[in-house]
Amino acid sequence: MKNATIIFFLCWVTSLAFAQERPDLRLKAYIGTNLVSYVQKADSLSAEILAGGQGGFGFRVLQKRLMGEVGFNFLRYGIRYDDAAAGVQINSFELPVNVGYASYKSPLIKHFLYGGITTNIILKGFIDFDDETIPSVKFKAKDIGLSNPTFLLRLGSQLDIAFFNIDFNYSLGLNKAYRQNVRTQTHLFELNFGLIF
């Protein structure tokens, strides 16, 4: 009986010594707005700015102060020039993979700084004409010379207040946005509002 008590006590102490906080897995659903800029690196810098929105969901794992997150995001962005009779709309799918650190953590509020890589795949695009008698023209990325997919380096900040989430991030293109000799770099800003489950 004495040996059994000693073995039980040793097992209990060992389990306490090796016990770790279980990872916290959460689902995040969000919607937001975006601003995409294609900056051409030529003799004279020119930029094309597109605005839009996005929505998606992701999975976040939190282990003490370390955070890992994978998202599935649908983006829609476009441009309409003042003097043009048509506007361009692009639909794409984004797969961000981020790692971060909780710079502040309390039961009610958490703040994260993070970075990662995101893959952006253009699904389809439309040219919409002001004249309603002319139907929309559907196009693929290669039809207008867009690279597909594009890879972006992402930096961001998230704030959790109870189960509400605010996420602001900036992504910089790692490959050319257009398949041409002149380097065109993608700059993507996103502001998302979501819920953590």
Side-chain angles (χ1 to χ4, degrees):
M1 182 70 177
K2 185 177 179 182
N3 289 340
T5 305
I6 292 172
I7 291 172
F8 173 78
F9 180 75
L10 290 175
C11 289
W12 180 71
V13 170
T14 305
S15 68
L16 288 178
F18 289 100
Q20 294 182 0
E21 183 181 325
R22 280 182 34 179
D24 184 21
L25 175 64
R26 297 294 174 114
L27 173 67
K28 181 170 84 168
Y30 50 88
I31 59 169
T33 185
N34 64 57
L35 191 65
V36 178
S37 176
Y38 294 124
V39 179
Q40 197 173 76
K41 309 287 185 180
D43 294 335
S44 60
L45 234 67
S46 63
E48 199 175 4
I49 298 174
L50 303 94
Q54 72 270 345
F57 66 96
F59 298 97
R60 179 200 287 169
V61 176
L62 186 61
Q63 175 71 32
K64 296 187 180 177
R65 287 187 173 260
L66 297 178
M67 180 264 286
E69 192 170 69
V70 175
F72 304 91
N73 196 6
F74 174 76
L75 283 87
R76 175 175 284 175
Y77 49 91
I79 188 165
R80 178 174 291 278
Y81 297 104
D82 293 335
D83 56 351
V88 176
Q89 176 184 299
I90 296 172
N91 297 337
S92 68
F93 174 75
E94 185 180 61
L95 181 65
V97 179
N98 302 312
V99 292
Y101 180 77
S103 60
Y104 179 80
K105 185 179 173 187
S106 74
L108 187 62
I109 298 173
K110 295 178 187 68
H111 178 257
F112 300 95
L113 296 171
Y114 67 89
I117 297 284
T118 185
T119 304
N120 191 299
I121 301 165
I122 296 174
L123 303 173
K124 59 185 172 181
F126 297 94
I127 299 174
D128 294 316
F129 297 94
D130 286 342
D131 186 348
E132 293 181 5
T133 61
I134 303 172
S136 295
V137 177
K138 185 178 172 181
F139 63 86
K140 295 182 179 177
K142 66 179 180 180
D143 296 339
I144 61 169
L146 284 170
S147 297
N148 197 21
T150 54
F151 302 95
L152 301 99
L153 179 66
R154 173 163 290 180
L155 297 173
S157 175
Q158 291 187 34
L159 179 66
D160 289 355
I161 302 170
F163 55 87
F164 295 103
N165 176 267
I166 301 169
D167 182 350
F168 176 75
N169 61 67
Y170 164 72
S171 300
L172 176 68
L174 298 175
N175 60 331
K176 293 193 295 188
Y178 288 99
R179 293 178 290 142
Q180 59 187 12
N181 291 333
V182 177
R183 171 130 167 90
T184 305
Q185 196 165 41
T186 307
H187 299 265
L188 170 63
F189 296 90
E190 290 183 10
L191 177 61
N192 294 310
F193 300 94
L195 297 172
I196 303 288
F197 300 98

